[in-house]
Amino acid sequence: HFTTLNQQLQDTNGRLQTSLEEESRLNAYLESMLEGLGSGIVAVDTENRVTLVNEAAVDLIGCRPESVLHEPAKALLGEAADLLSLTMSAGDGTTETEQDLTVAGDRTLPVRFKTACLRSRDGTILGALAIIDDVSHVRELSRQASRVNTLTALGEMSATVAHEIRNPLGG
């Protein structure tokens, strides 16, 4: 009986070790995915305290991960932290919003926020996730395109005026 019990214990330990190795591989895979995204990721718990910040978010916001973990999200995201609270209270993600985020003390950065509710398998809300993208380059390209359109319209109008003036003079 002792031998059988010992064998069952060894089998259980083997399955547990395999399970732990699989969980470790899965965690490494998920961390790799989060770091590989070009977007900044900030996760908070139900008390709106930061639980995860990926490298892209650190680069965008200009913070040290160890200084913001377990701190209120408002310290990291300012007013944008309210979107995470809203997401948790609604129990759903919000639509994408664009706003200026104050980073590195005094500099503002135009960003696009998208949030999602984090839930356990049984549906309990565990927190929220913010996906943050820098849109300063997009805004600059939009300004340049607007300027090009304005200059194109001005050129077309100048050509039309020149044509209208030349026609009567040609006669």
Side-chain angles (χ1 to χ4, degrees):
H1 182 69
F2 177 73
T3 310
T4 308
L5 192 56
N6 192 26
Q7 184 61 41
Q8 287 175 344
L9 186 58
Q10 285 178 346
D11 291 345
T12 302
N13 280 340
R15 285 192 305 274
L16 182 59
Q17 184 65 32
T18 302
S19 176
L20 287 173
E21 289 170 2
E22 181 63 28
E23 183 178 344
S24 177
R25 257 192 319 277
L26 182 60
N27 281 339
Y29 178 69
L30 291 173
E31 282 181 31
S32 175
M33 282 177 41
L34 286 176
E35 293 304 328
L37 290 174
S39 302
I41 305 290
V42 176
V44 297
D45 61 15
T46 54
E47 295 175 11
N48 221 12
R49 294 190 178 278
V50 177
T51 57
L52 177 132
V53 181
N54 75 345
E55 196 64 37
V58 167
D59 292 343
L60 267 176
I61 298 169
C63 65
R64 292 189 335 267
E66 63 274 2
S67 69
V68 295
L69 284 177
H70 310 294
E71 293 297 320
K74 207 163 200 89
L76 179 65
L77 300 173
E79 298 303 315
D82 295 339
L83 292 173
L84 293 168
S85 296
L86 181 64
T87 297
M88 283 185 281
S89 64
D92 198 8
T94 63
T95 58
E96 288 186 15
T97 59
E98 285 188 19
Q99 63 187 81
D100 290 335
L101 180 66
T102 302
V103 295
D106 58 348
R107 191 174 59 106
T108 59
L109 180 69
V111 294
R112 180 180 301 124
F113 272 84
K114 185 168 183 162
T115 60
C117 203
L118 299 174
R119 296 178 180 275
S120 67
R121 289 179 192 247
D122 67 0
T124 305
I125 294 175
L126 302 174
L129 180 78
I131 302 167
I132 308 166
D133 289 305
D134 180 359
V135 293
S136 58
H137 186 65
V138 173
R139 282 193 184 173
E140 181 59 32
L141 288 175
S142 178
R143 273 194 285 273
Q144 288 176 3
S146 176
R147 181 180 160 102
V148 166
N149 286 342
T150 302
L151 291 174
T152 301
L154 186 59
E156 289 172 0
M157 185 179 72
S158 297
T160 303
V161 168
H163 178 71
E164 293 298 324
I165 290 175
R166 262 191 306 232
N167 276 350
L169 291 177

